[in-house]
């Protein structure tokens, strides 16, 4: 199948052009970009008139969680440590059935594709165990919808009370007794599981779907687990995707348990390197950032989620200057409420402007576009495949109408994309050379049928989840006290907006 886009305005995000646009044609053949240039021809190709249209790389969501998709619009006003009780309950009920795993994943894919995301990194979390058949439901959802995805099966093998500072001191004994998770998963057992996934699911859908190894966080995994995960990631050329220093509580955790920051802990274990992708990286110190830059690791910046959970403002300029690879993530639909990277782009740009008066350090539109495309692809270790429009790369692209409100009057396309566009100008989405969205319609699946099935099943799901929320509310005072103590601790720097942080501390 060939597709020829004629007379397009092209935003390639490649090394030659960066965020500068140019006019030309683009030919897609056998899922790849076959040529970019003037006056292209192709026998038997579908011709698409791209006059007054923008062709650009599909956006990359560098960090999300499909397990949260049914929790949209459910929570607010909670810091991470409290929110986790309800979105990821300590006292768990029965697992949702496999059809719901499929439906929540395909819903995430639908919203992602229709808002211009062609690649997502799903940190799939499905406690209490690891089941290939359940993981395969997420793979099948993404295959059916037509999106490109890295998919994990996140692991933790340290008890919750040993992964949070002050927890064993604060939590009443009666509550501690309720937290019986059974024997922790060994590194050997998780490696066996990962090997099975790599041999059965990794590379499905013409290589569009890949596995990534995901130790949940350094404080939640043993040294043996972290080292085994990194070794596996390097051997297979996949990311080791993990959460590091999302909140100030986690900034206190490293010194409390390891006598050093969590980044230094990763470094000393030999697992901070080019295959390491860190979600969040808000409460990193200058010393941490230097280690990260030297290691050549990646960060998925989740600006909206960090705002909603009150985590603070990540030092993005400092990370970029150190040489850390940056991508953008929505995080899960519960801590963000959408899967739209366009929203994250706008917030990422504006948020840095609130972090200090030195306007030379504020993010520019071209930097944000880089994070949303080729930079995000690098965090997923897919930059050789997607993230820019280049001959030989996968045809993962968007076509937008430049005559829409978001581009009228037209000044600077990059700035319009970052500050003005909300997705309504998107007319076509292509992944791996196949058109998966056209005129706001999914082409590979019946969106209306899927949404109807989800609506039919949600009352029972929501009732069951509400029961879990009530059961886990008993832990909220403990988590609130952990949050209070940690955020009151002096660690030598802050990632809160200063005036707000000072006011909050005075109130205590």
């Amino acid at each position: 199948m060939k597709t020829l886009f004629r007379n397009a305005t092209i935003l390639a995000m490649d090394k030659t052009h960066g965020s500068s646009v140019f006019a030309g044609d683009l030919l897609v053949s056998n899922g790849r970009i076959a040529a970019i240039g003037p006056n292209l021809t192709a026998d038997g190709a579908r011709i698409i008139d791209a006059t007054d249209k923008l062709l650009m790389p599909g956006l990359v969501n560098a960090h999300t969680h499909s397990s949260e998709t049914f929790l949209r619009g459910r929570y607010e006003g909670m810091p991470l440590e409290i929110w986790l009780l309800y979105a990821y309950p300590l006292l768990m009920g029965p697992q949702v059935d496999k059809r719901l795993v499929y439906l929540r994943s395909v819903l995430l894919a639908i919203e992602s594709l229709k808002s211009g995301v062609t690649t997502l990194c799903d940190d799939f979390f499905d406690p209490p165990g690891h089941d290939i058949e359940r993981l395969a439901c997420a793979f099948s959802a993404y295959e059916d919808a037509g999106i490109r995805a890295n998919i994990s099966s996140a692991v933790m093998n340290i008890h919750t009370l040993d992964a949070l500072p002050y927890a064993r001191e604060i939590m009443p004994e009666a509550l501690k007794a309720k937290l019986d998770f059974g024997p922790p998963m060994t590194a050997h057992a998780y490696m066996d599981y990962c090997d099975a996934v790599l041999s059965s699911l990794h590379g499905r859908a013409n290589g569009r779907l890949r596995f990534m190894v995901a130790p949940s966080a350094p404080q939640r995994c043993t040294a043996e687990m972290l080292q085994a995960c990194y070794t596996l990631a390097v051997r297979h050329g996949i990311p080791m995707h993990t959460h590091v220093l999302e909140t100030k509580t986690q900034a206190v955790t490293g010194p409390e348990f390891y006598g050093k920051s969590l980044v230094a802990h990763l470094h000393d274990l030999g697992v901070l390197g080019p295959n390491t992708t860190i979600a969040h990286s808000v409460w990193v110190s200058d010393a941490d950032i230097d280690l990260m830059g030297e290691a050549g690791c990646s960060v998925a910046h989740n600006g909206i989620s960090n705002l909603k959970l009150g985590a603070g403002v990540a030092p993005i300029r400092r990370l970029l200057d150190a040489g850390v690879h940056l991508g953008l993530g929505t995080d899960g639909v519960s801590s963000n409420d959408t899967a739209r990277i366009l929203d994250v782009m706008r917030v990422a740009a504006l948020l840095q402007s609130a972090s200090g008066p030195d306007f030379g350090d504020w993010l520019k539109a071209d930097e944000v576009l880089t994070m949303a495309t080729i930079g995000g692809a690098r965090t997923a270790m897919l930059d050789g495949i997607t993230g820019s429009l280049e001959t030989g790369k996968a045809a993962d692209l968007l076509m937008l109408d430049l005559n829409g409100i978001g581009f009228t009057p037209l000044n600077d396309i990059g700035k319009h994309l970052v500050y003005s566009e909300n997705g309504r100008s998107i007319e076509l989405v292509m992944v791996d050379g196949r058109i998966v969205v056209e005129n706001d319609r999914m082409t590979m699946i019946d969106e209306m049928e899927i949404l109807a099935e989800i609506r039919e099943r949600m009352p029972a799901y929501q009732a069951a989840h509400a029961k879990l929320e009530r059961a886990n509310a008993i832990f909220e005072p403990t988590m609130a006290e952990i949050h209070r103590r940690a955020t009151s601790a002096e660690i030598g720097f802050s990632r809160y907006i200063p005036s707000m942080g000072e006011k909050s501390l005075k109130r205590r």
Side-chain angles (χ1 to χ4, degrees):
M1 176 64 183
K2 296 179 182 179
T3 305
L4 177 59
F5 297 89
R6 281 190 174 151
N7 303 319
T9 300
I10 299 174
L11 175 70
M13 299 305 299
D14 61 352
K15 291 181 180 178
T16 301
H17 302 93
S19 60
S20 299
V21 298
F22 59 94
D25 303 341
L26 186 146
L27 176 64
V28 174
S29 180
N30 296 320
R32 299 280 163 174
I33 298 172
I36 302 175
N39 305 315
L40 299 180
T41 60
D43 293 337
R46 174 186 173 183
I47 307 298
I48 296 179
D49 182 5
T51 304
D52 295 329
K53 311 294 184 186
L54 174 69
L55 292 185
M56 65 174 290
L59 304 175
V60 178
N61 188 345
H63 179 69
T64 188
H65 299 277
S66 60
S67 53
E68 296 177 28
T69 309
F70 293 155
L71 301 178
R72 182 196 310 271
R74 197 168 180 97
Y75 307 116
E76 65 178 355
M78 297 178 180
L80 176 77
E81 289 75 27
I82 294 176
W83 168 81
L84 283 171
L85 286 176
Y86 303 112
Y88 296 90
L90 290 175
L91 301 180
M92 295 176 284
Q95 288 182 307
V96 300
D97 64 57
K98 294 176 185 176
R99 181 61 180 172
L100 282 179
V101 173
Y102 176 92
L103 289 171
R104 72 189 187 190
S105 303
V106 81
L107 179 59
L108 177 63
I110 290 169
E111 183 182 9
S112 298
L113 288 168
K114 294 183 76 171
S115 61
V117 171
T118 57
T119 299
L120 63 81
C121 296
D122 178 8
D123 194 7
F124 179 88
F125 185 61
D126 190 44
H130 297 269
D131 184 325
I132 289 182
E133 290 185 3
R134 293 176 63 81
L135 182 62
C137 294
F139 272 78
S140 294
Y142 299 140
E143 182 171 9
D144 292 348
I147 201 166
R148 188 178 302 280
N150 281 357
I151 309 142
S152 77
S153 183
V155 67
M156 56 181 70
N157 68 339
I158 287 179
H159 196 288
T160 297
L161 294 178
D162 297 315
L164 284 166
Y166 324 123
R168 288 199 176 275
E169 172 189 350
I170 295 170
M171 187 175 289
E173 292 299 325
L175 296 188
K176 292 179 190 176
K178 292 179 178 290
L179 299 179
D180 180 11
F181 303 124
M185 189 168 211
T186 65
H188 180 76
Y190 184 60
M191 290 303 103
D192 283 347
Y193 172 80
C194 291
D195 286 338
V197 174
L198 286 163
S199 64
S200 61
L201 297 177
H202 181 68
R204 269 178 59 170
N206 192 37
R208 208 168 18 95
L209 306 179
R210 294 165 58 86
F211 181 66
M212 63 182 185
V213 63
S216 175
Q219 73 275 16
R220 300 174 192 145
C221 295
T222 62
E224 183 184 15
M225 178 68 80
L226 292 166
Q227 290 169 330
C229 286
Y230 192 74
T231 299
L232 182 84
V234 171
R235 185 165 68 245
H236 290 277
I238 58 177
M240 184 186 83
H241 194 99
T242 186
H243 299 73
V244 183
L245 291 170
E246 180 175 358
T247 66
K248 190 174 180 183
T249 298
Q250 294 171 13
V252 173
T253 298
E256 179 83 7
F257 292 148
Y258 308 111
K260 64 190 79 170
S261 78
L262 293 175
V263 170
H265 177 56
L266 291 174
H267 173 269
D268 290 350
L269 290 177
V271 301
L272 187 68
N275 290 65
T276 309
T277 295
I278 290 171
H280 301 293
S281 188
V282 176
W283 288 84
V284 286
S285 66
D286 285 348
D288 292 333
I289 293 170
D290 289 340
L291 289 175
M292 293 162 68
E294 291 166 8
C297 72
S298 297
V299 164
H301 174 41
N302 303 275
I304 292 179
S305 173
N306 294 155
L307 286 173
K308 188 175 185 188
L309 297 176
V313 180
I316 299 303
R317 172 59 62 203
R318 179 76 175 85
L319 288 163
L320 285 171
D321 288 348
V324 177
H325 306 288
L326 264 293
L328 299 177
T330 59
D331 213 348
V333 174
S334 175
S335 65
N336 181 317
D337 301 291
T338 85
R340 295 191 300 263
I341 282 294
L342 284 162
D343 294 355
V344 179
M345 290 163 61
R346 187 167 192 262
V347 167
L350 298 176
L351 185 58
Q352 293 302 304
S353 303
S355 63
D358 189 347
F359 53 87
D361 286 344
W362 297 353
L363 290 181
K364 305 298 188 294
D366 61 335
E367 294 174 304
V368 175
L369 282 170
T370 298
M371 294 179 205
T373 55
I374 189 65
R378 172 60 185 83
T379 71
M381 301 190 69
L382 295 173
D383 50 314
I385 297 171
T386 191
S388 60
L389 303 184
E390 300 180 61
T391 301
K393 278 196 169 184
D396 297 355
L397 57 84
L398 313 178
M399 186 173 79
L400 294 87
D401 180 12
L402 291 175
N403 289 327
I405 292 174
F407 294 96
T408 303
L410 186 60
N411 287 292
D412 181 285
I413 284 177
K415 294 182 180 66
H416 281 279
L417 285 169
V418 172
Y419 298 112
S420 306
E421 180 54 39
N422 63 3
R424 62 185 167 191
S425 301
I426 297 171
E427 294 188 343
L428 178 149
V429 179
M430 176 178 278
V431 179
D432 213 31
R434 176 176 289 181
I435 296 172
V436 295
V437 179
E438 190 167 16
N439 298 320
D440 201 37
R441 186 182 68 84
M442 299 291 295
T443 65
M444 294 179 61
I445 53 175
D446 188 330
E447 177 184 353
M448 293 301 102
E449 184 178 294
I450 288 167
L451 295 181
E453 183 179 357
I454 290 172
R455 284 191 292 268
E456 180 182 353
R457 297 203 56 178
M458 279 306 94
Y461 170 84
Q462 290 163 334
H465 193 77
K467 184 177 180 181
L468 290 179
E469 290 170 334
R470 291 191 294 273
N472 282 271
I474 58 175
F475 299 105
E476 184 168 330
T478 295
M479 297 305 170
E481 177 61 12
I482 290 171
H483 173 75
R484 188 197 68 79
R485 288 196 190 185
T487 53
S488 298
E490 178 54 57
I491 63 171
F493 66 96
S494 177
R495 297 299 179 208
Y496 296 127
I497 297 174
S499 61
M500 297 299 292
E502 291 164 8
K503 181 180 178 181
S504 178
L505 287 172
K506 287 176 183 176
R507 185 180 295 130
R508 293 193 187 107

